Amino acid sequence: MTDDASTRSATGDGSPATGDGPPVLAATDVARRLEAILLIVEEPQSLVSLAAAVGAPVPAVRQAIESLVEDYDGKTGGPVRGFELREIGGGWRLYVREELDDLVSEFVGGQAPSRLSQAALETLAVIAYKQPITRGQVASIRAVNVDSVVRTLLARGLITELFADAETGAINYGTTDALLVHLGINSLDELPHISPLLDDGADGFEEVAR
């Protein structure tokens, strides 16, 4: 067996190795890993955090990001996708293309309404009283992971993304006019006063789930 052959077999998947370090991922593998991560993240991710997540150098991640952007935009011979990879606040995240926003809104709005869980009501209360607020800040107040709950509230049109923090890229959330309609109030100023810790803050939101 030659030295080259033993090097390839040592990596297990045919990927080239660099000395005693980990195998170097092929460009296609980096892109596939990035897609998997980008499908689940709630906030824009920096190149550094993406590189750490997929186990690849930052330059390789940057190149893969550029390739994915071109692919989704139809610049590589394929169709323009219904989503795009966009850089916001120094981080990258997948978004619905702007021209399809109305389509998605109509689809979400046409879904059969279902009662919100207690966790969703409590998260909605935190956002309503503390907005603008990031997902991480909500999770800190509630002391639980709120990723899926935030997705539910977004899908129901009760909260919206207001802006991305210029330094961290974290998305700040706020409530929508739809929440005011559900609560039967004209502005957030009409919300009842509660403790800053929001221990009982979800009680006034029960009607939202109906």
Side-chain angles (χ1 to χ4, degrees):
M1 180 180 294
T2 65
D3 290 342
D4 289 342
S6 63
T7 299
R8 286 194 298 270
S9 63
T11 65
D13 59 359
S15 300
T18 55
D20 295 329
V24 178
L25 293 172
T28 53
D29 290 331
V30 175
R32 290 174 62 242
R33 291 188 175 199
L34 282 173
E35 285 183 313
I37 296 298
L38 290 167
L39 277 173
I40 63 163
V41 297
E42 295 287 336
E43 298 174 355
Q45 302 294 308
S46 69
L47 289 176
V48 173
S49 63
L50 288 172
V54 304
V58 170
V61 170
R62 182 184 294 108
Q63 183 177 5
I65 287 287
E66 293 173 353
S67 297
L68 289 174
V69 169
E70 292 184 353
D71 182 21
Y72 300 157
D73 290 348
K75 296 180 179 179
T76 58
V80 176
R81 307 294 182 86
F83 55 88
E84 62 182 332
L85 183 52
R86 195 188 313 163
E87 185 178 17
I88 299 292
W92 293 87
R93 183 187 168 203
L94 291 173
Y95 293 87
V96 173
R97 289 197 181 274
E98 185 176 357
E99 61 267 26
L100 298 176
D101 280 345
D102 291 342
L103 175 67
V104 173
S105 296
E106 290 177 6
F107 173 77
V108 172
Q111 299 300 294
S114 58
R115 188 176 182 84
L116 289 176
S117 66
Q118 183 66 24
L121 289 171
E122 292 173 1
T123 299
L124 182 57
V126 172
I127 295 174
Y129 280 92
K130 295 292 188 179
Q131 63 184 303
I133 187 171
T134 67
R135 182 168 51 87
Q137 290 170 330
V138 175
S140 178
I141 291 174
R142 294 203 55 231
V144 294
N145 186 290
V146 297
D147 293 358
S148 62
V149 175
V150 168
R151 284 196 293 269
T152 297
L153 296 176
L154 283 169
R156 293 287 291 271
L158 297 174
I159 65 172
T160 187
E161 297 178 358
L162 298 178
F163 60 89
D165 186 275
E167 295 184 0
T168 66
I171 299 296
N172 280 259
Y173 297 94
T175 55
T176 65
D177 290 341
L179 176 62
L180 301 180
V181 173
H182 281 295
L183 294 177
I185 60 178
N186 293 315
S187 73
L188 294 174
D189 293 335
E190 298 180 38
L191 289 174
H193 295 291
I194 60 174
S195 164
L197 295 180
L198 299 170
D199 290 336
D200 301 314
D203 294 344
F205 289 81
E206 292 180 354
E207 292 300 319
V208 177
R210 298 187 186 280

